[in-house]
Amino acid sequence: MIFKTDYKLEEFILNTKWEDLPHNVKTRMKGCFIDLLGALIAGSISRQFVSGLCLAKIVGKEGSIPAFGSNEKFDFFGASVAMGHSSNAYDIDDGHNIIRAHPGTSFVGAILAAAYEKNISLKEFLTALLVAYETTIRSGAAIMDYYDYAHSSGTFGAIGVAAGVGRIYGFSKEELNNTISVAEFNAPLVPGIRSVEYPSMNKDGVPFGIMTGALAVLETLCGFEGNKNLLEADAYRHYLDDLGKKYEVMDLYFKPYPCCRWAHPAIDACTKTMADNKILPDEIEKIVIKTFKKATMLSKGEPKTADEAQYNIAYPVAASVVKGGFGIGEVMEDSLEDPQILSMMKKLSFEVDDIIDSKFPQKRICRAEIHTIRGIFVSDDCEPRGEAHENIGIEWLADKFRHITAPIISREQQERIIALVLGDETIGMKEFVDIANSFATKE
């Protein structure tokens, strides 16, 4: 394999200016930040975040940077570690179909920590997020091809951390190239499908990806030398051909439910069919879900933890059928023993539909057959909501933010945070985070 270092990626990362970005890209980045803040706030009440704070105290140092959602403050590395445990805790963050992973969550903790440390402006923070997204998605495509294996978010996010934090730290193009190369070479090769089958806090490997990316930044500052990354290889340089022309952030999808995306179309197929036909849960005899193979590999057992509830297909569908929807409340541990939901789970079965399966991963489709005492009702073929072709805008993401953070902060606090994101682009990130964190912090 031939490698060529021409610094095309590094120059994009360092020289991209907020003022030069298309209006729709600027709007998308503000929407992404609202969405990621929702994930961080929701994640702050998770057991995973408790683990992250504990680890941050061991591997980090006391400092001035808040771990969003707590009163604890750390150095850059410690804050990155802590927030890396909360951003993906409830699997509610953005995704990209081609890499089958969640870009934003995989680097936001470290970039937010660096932005606070350097007190950059909101617009500079949003620009750092943008270059991290573009780098992460393109690197992810190259990594998946090179290893011929479906890795997951933490693998790709390490490179996103290197890109975004390297920009904030004012690295030269040589330093940035080194950081990206170190991060990509040492990135955790997360076997995401195992977490689909055997759910746990391992999930998409986000905490370890963020730690690797942050360490790559610090290693560069300490003189550690790496050499070459896959986007410099002859086989993958074409991923940079449209850099700065086509923005991959416009192809993101956004998740309305805190569970694996593969379960979303089944949720909507059932709830819409029930609503359209006025089906009550007590009328249901059985439900047959016809979908793609990967979705049928999700756990179907009774979940005992929030992570098992998220990487499950039977539980979210059953909870939605019984409750009429699926939110943060349904993945809390005290909801997992609801006898109505557990009973409904036993009425579900899942089958691979060959035509539907042939369209994966570009499309994730499901069809539900609901057998009731009144007859059989069949849904339309259903895709998950929030797909890229829907051109998701600020109001959709703001409504989602209000919904998922409602158990944690007040409506007034929600609107204040949204207004901060959409307001003065020159506000310093210290002020921004201090205000928003004062709402999210639990005494």
Side-chain angles (χ1 to χ4, degrees), residues 290-297 351-366:
K290 298 192 175 183
T291 187
F292 49 96
K293 183 177 180 180
K294 294 289 188 184
T296 66
M297 295 172 68
E351 300 177 2
V352 176
D353 182 290
D354 290 338
I355 295 176
I356 287 175
D357 191 55
S358 70
K359 298 177 181 180
F360 179 84
Q362 284 76 14
K363 291 189 175 184
R364 288 150 299 176
I365 300 171
C366 168

Side-chain angles (χ1 to χ4, degrees), residues 122-123 419-428 432:
L122 173 61
K123 65 179 181 179
L420 279 173
V421 176
L422 302 180
D424 181 8
E425 295 173 352
T426 66
I427 185 174
F432 184 108

Side-chain angles (χ1 to χ4, degrees), residues 253-270:
Y253 66 76
F254 298 93
K255 300 175 68 176
Y257 308 123
C259 61
C260 180
R261 185 69 164 173
W262 297 348
H264 286 215
I267 291 173
D268 288 335
C270 290

Side-chain angles (χ1 to χ4, degrees), residues 47-48 51 85 88-91 190-208 298-299 303-312 333:
R47 290 196 300 115
Q48 187 164 321
S51 298
H85 283 71
N88 187 231
Y90 288 119
D91 204 15
V190 181
I193 197 66
R194 278 173 50 190
S195 198
V196 169
E197 297 180 272
Y198 304 101
S200 71
M201 287 186 187
N202 277 327
K203 213 175 286 180
D204 291 328
V206 168
F208 286 85
L298 285 164
S299 174
K304 303 300 181 185
T305 67
D307 297 288
E308 291 180 357
Q310 295 162 55
Y311 269 23
N312 191 305
E333 268 79 1

